[in-house]
Each structure stands twice: as C-alpha cells, then as structure tokens.
Amino acid sequence: MSEHGGEAVSAEQARRSRLYDYMDAPEPGRQEEAGGTARGRREFAALLGEFRRTAVLVPLDPVTGSPLAADFGGVRWFYAFSDEGALARFAVARGEGAREWAFQRWLGARLLDAAVPAVGVPCGVALDCADGEDGMLFPPVRGVVPDAVAVDVDGGTGDVR
C-alpha cells in the first residue's frame, strides 16, 4: 500500500500536496543552507527592517548626556528600548530603579546609520537587553551598520572578511 491509498507509484508520478507550494524552496542553483540558517536570516532581516522604521527609547548618560552605552566583548553597545516598561525593567535590573532616567526617541535607522559610525570603535545596538530572549542585538556587521564601520568588511577594499 502507498500513502496515496492505491498501488505504489514512483516519486515522479506521485501527486504533490498543495502544502509543498507553501514551503520555502531554495533559490535555483543554490543548496538550501542547513539547520534553518536561511530562514533565520530572513527572520533577522525582517526584525532589522522593523527596528530601522521604529522609534525607540535611547537612555541618556546622566553625566555626559550622550546615549547610554556599555562595552562588552570588544564592542560598544548602545542601549535602546521598545517602550517605557522595557526601560524600567532595565533600570531595576541595574539597581537604579529609583532615579529618574532621561531618554530620547530615535528611529532605529538613526542609531545604526548615524550614531554607530560616530563612535569610532566597533559599535552595535542592544534592544530591550533586560528582557532575556525577548531582547535583540544588532551587531556591527555588514547589512546592519554601514559597511565603513562593519567589523566583517575590509575597510580598504570593501570585501567581506
């Protein structure tokens, strides 16, 4: 018996389910990347696009008035938050929930395209970093920040490292 309920037929003759029409097919001439990497890249690209179009809260350093940032792993990370609740969770996690937090609203694109290049060191954006798996990192790599400041692009030639 076959899965079609009748006599066995070859794979070429078997009728396809319409569900196959909704599957992600690899581009012609290109092997599908293992482990869902291609799907993950598409999902990240969608999140990046949404971040670029969205106004986020950027807390200000109480001393300098510049965007609050921290250095980790050789990268400077600007803090950004999707709403006041996310910023409040961050303040409480730092043990600074009692003080007043000044912030500005910036488009994500402004952070990535203007603020990151102005820093002068590898820099990215940490969105909602106190929210565990709901947070997101936008690292200083090609396609996220301008190529001139991306750590995976050779600045002299523009080639990917």
Side-chain angles (χ1 to χ4, degrees), residues 72-144:
F72 183 77
V75 175
R76 181 155 303 153
W77 297 95
F78 283 125
Y79 294 119
F81 299 93
S82 56
D83 56 34
E84 289 87 354
L87 176 55
R89 288 187 293 278
F90 174 75
V92 169
R94 287 176 57 114
E96 299 179 42
R99 76 169 177 88
E100 183 176 328
W101 283 71
F103 63 85
Q104 294 179 344
R105 291 186 193 274
W106 290 18
L107 282 178
R110 180 178 177 198
L111 273 171
L112 295 173
D113 297 341
V116 164
V119 173
V121 298
C123 185
V125 176
L127 177 68
D128 296 342
C129 58
D131 290 347
E133 290 184 13
D134 291 333
M136 187 74 188
L137 293 177
F138 297 100
V141 296
R142 184 177 188 202
V144 176

Side-chain angles (χ1 to χ4, degrees), residues 10-82:
S10 70
E12 293 84 27
Q13 296 172 336
R15 289 186 47 196
R16 266 186 346 160
S17 165
R18 290 191 43 77
L19 293 176
Y20 282 101
D21 294 336
Y22 296 100
M23 288 180 48
D24 291 332
E27 295 175 19
R30 183 173 169 195
Q31 294 284 333
E32 183 66 24
E33 295 171 323
T37 303
R39 181 178 49 237
R41 288 180 184 191
R42 286 191 303 274
E43 290 171 359
F44 179 78
L47 289 171
L48 175 61
E50 185 66 24
F51 175 74
R52 293 180 67 77
R53 293 184 298 273
T54 301
V56 294
L57 307 181
V58 178
L60 303 176
D61 184 288
V63 176
T64 65
S66 61
L68 190 62
D71 293 338
F72 183 77
V75 175
R76 181 155 303 153
W77 297 95
F78 283 125
Y79 294 119
F81 299 93
S82 56

